[in-house]
Structure formats: structure tokens, C-alpha cells
Amino acid sequence: RAASELVRELNPSGWIGVIEGSAPGDGQGTKDMFKLYGYNKTNLPQVDDILALEDIDGADKDYASAQLVAVSLADSISLYPDSKKPNKSRPIYLAKLYAQADAVISIPVLKNHESAALTVSIKNIGIGMTPPSIYRKDLYNIPNLRFEIDHSYPDMHKWIHDFFMSRPIDFVIVDGLQGLQHGPGGGSNPSQNRMNMRLILAGNDPVAIDAISAHIIGMDPSKINYLVYLHNHGAGCADHKLIRVHGNVRVSDVKKKYKHSDA
């Protein structure tokens, strides 16, 4: 709500939309999450539309859908194997509303992740905004999750890099008021793995924001492949020693060690 109010101050008449793609499960579709967390016009009066990604991404495997945009990265940038894409070719598919927005703001929660290491602004869109119509595949009794994308290491990192490069996000607001270790779902006991960080991170360099996020939760950003890939391709800075953070506390004062597994 605060983000939409700030955007509305800068752009009184422009369209503001909330687009989200949840990890579907039993009673966990995107619209179920909207209802659970109160995403509605009463609570978000400055927002014009609140949209589930699966409602704006066309029909299943319709690569020519008018609701999608196909982006083909150059050989010098593309990392994820074309042979592992559902259509076995170069294009990456994005929802048209997302791809053609004047500005995209990613608003993730501060969490770690069993496969991607870190799930903040870049992972938030690199998997969360991939159109289910193209990339969903039923696996592990989780309907519609985007398992057409290889979730193993290191290909998942290559995909996250490529999706970001297809449409870089413009601004990030990390909700670190209450983070989560043992991500993405908090392991076997999510309530005990909540991390009360009491902080917000914001900026216009998503790579830098994610690098500082990693540093805060006890991870080395130089060992998170997709951050390194993006840094090397000039998409942002992943070296936390080169990033200047402004605020009312020091990064060293808020650091915690997030547990990544039960081991």
C-alpha cells in the first residue's frame, strides 16, 4: 500500500497494477493468496488492478498468444540451454503486461532458498513471474508450479539470469520486517523459522539489493551464481564491498545467520 501511494504521488493518472504468480497447491492459488493477505481495492485504493499471473498469460502452450511477449537473448548473454526450454528454442516468454510496463517494482520477502540460495528481488521474478501457461508442469503433486524450468543447480541460476535480462526490473523494495530461513517454505516448521529482521531494503539496482540481502542473512553473494552472472553482464553490482548502503543502521548491526538446511 505504501509503495502504491508513493507511485501515485509521482504519477497521478497512470495505471498501477499488482501482478503476482503464487506457487499453486491445495488452496494456495494466487487468488487464494490475494484473499488471505487482503489484496483488494479496499486495502489498496491507489491500485487499478490486482491480477493473478495465470489470468493474463494466455492458453496452455500457446506460444503465439497476444498476452505474451517472446524475448530472444543474444548468444553472448543467453545461458540457459535452449534444449531445456518447453519449446526447445531460444525465446523466453513473459506476460505482456509485465514485459511492457513502464516500470516494474519487485516487492519480495527476505528469504533463502534450497535451490536458488537466495529468493529476494531477482529470484522473485525469475521464477514467480514466468507465465504458468508456458512453464507449468505437474510434479511432486504440486499442480501448475513452473517445473518446465530445470530447478537443479546450476541451470536454475542460468534461467533466473536469462529471465531478468529479458526484462530487467526497475526498483526493489525488500520486505525484511519478518524474513524466513529454511526457505522457500520454512522447512517442516515455518512458524519457528520466521526471522524478525525489522528492516526494509530499497533501491534501483536489484543485483546490489540482492547482494546486500545475501550478506545480511549470512551468505556470500560471490557464491550465488545468478548474481555473479548478472554482475559479469553489467546488470548491476554483486560485490558487497563496492555497494554503498544508506540508512539508520549499519549492515553489520543487522546481520543474522539464516539456516539453510536441517544439517
Side-chain angles (χ1 to χ4, degrees):
R1 180 168 181 165
S4 64
E5 289 172 349
L6 289 171
V7 172
R8 186 58 74 201
E9 287 181 14
L10 295 171
N11 191 343
S13 60
W15 178 82
I16 300 176
V18 172
I19 303 174
E20 184 168 326
S22 297
D26 185 14
Q28 296 179 359
T30 307
K31 290 179 179 177
D32 297 311
M33 295 299 99
F34 286 161
K35 184 176 180 180
L36 178 65
Y37 291 112
Y39 277 42
N40 53 57
K41 293 297 293 292
T42 299
N43 293 330
L44 300 171
Q46 301 300 334
V47 171
D48 295 293
D49 290 295
I50 302 169
L51 304 168
L53 180 60
E54 56 265 31
D55 290 340
I56 59 166
D57 68 342
D60 286 352
K61 299 299 187 284
D62 181 4
Y63 299 105
S65 171
Q67 291 184 291
L68 298 176
V69 169
V71 177
S72 295
L73 298 176
D75 288 345
S76 59
I77 298 175
S78 179
L79 298 179
Y80 189 80
D82 293 342
S83 61
K84 290 192 173 185
K85 296 173 184 174
N87 56 334
K88 312 299 182 189
S89 61
R90 178 57 53 90
I92 289 174
Y93 294 88
L94 303 89
K96 187 174 183 178
L97 271 177
Y98 169 80
Q100 297 184 352
D102 292 327
V104 172
I105 302 173
S106 178
I107 309 180
V109 175
L110 182 59
K111 299 189 295 184
N112 56 11
H113 191 275
E114 59 189 1
S115 300
L118 182 73
T119 176
V120 191
S121 68
I122 295 169
K123 159 65 173 60
N124 190 47
I125 62 102
I127 298 296
M129 285 306 298
T130 50
S133 64
I134 302 298
Y135 299 103
R136 68 175 153 219
K137 179 181 179 182
D138 290 2
L139 195 64
Y140 310 124
N141 293 319
I142 306 175
N144 301 332
L145 196 59
R146 299 156 184 84
F147 284 118
E148 286 281 13
I149 299 163
D150 187 349
H151 278 50
S152 65
Y153 177 88
D155 280 337
M156 187 181 197
H157 289 253
K158 293 179 180 179
W159 170 266
I160 293 170
H161 161 274
D162 285 9
F163 193 85
F164 181 91
M165 295 299 287
S166 298
R167 201 302 179 197
I169 52 183
D170 302 286
F171 199 82
V172 181
I173 304 171
V174 179
D175 176 4
L177 295 175
Q178 182 167 266
L180 188 71
Q181 62 181 354
H182 287 296
S188 59
N189 202 332
S191 62
Q192 291 187 10
N193 285 318
R194 299 194 187 283
M195 300 291 278
N196 297 317
M197 302 296 288
R198 299 293 184 260
L199 61 88
I200 296 285
L201 294 169
N204 60 3
D205 182 342
V207 180
I209 288 288
D210 282 19
I212 293 299
S213 296
H215 191 58
I216 285 173
I217 66 176
M219 304 181 76
D220 182 352
S222 71
K223 295 181 179 179
I224 300 175
N225 289 44
Y226 65 83
L227 293 182
V228 176
Y229 298 152
L230 290 167
H231 178 99
N232 290 343
H233 282 142
C237 180
D239 187 344
H240 71 271
K241 298 185 296 295
L242 302 178
I243 301 167
R244 180 171 294 177
V245 181
H246 299 278
N248 55 4
V249 294
R250 292 179 178 272
V251 171
S252 57
D253 294 334
V254 296
K255 285 182 66 176
K256 282 187 179 182
K257 176 105 176 141
Y258 275 36
K259 292 181 181 179
H260 199 255
S261 69
D262 291 324

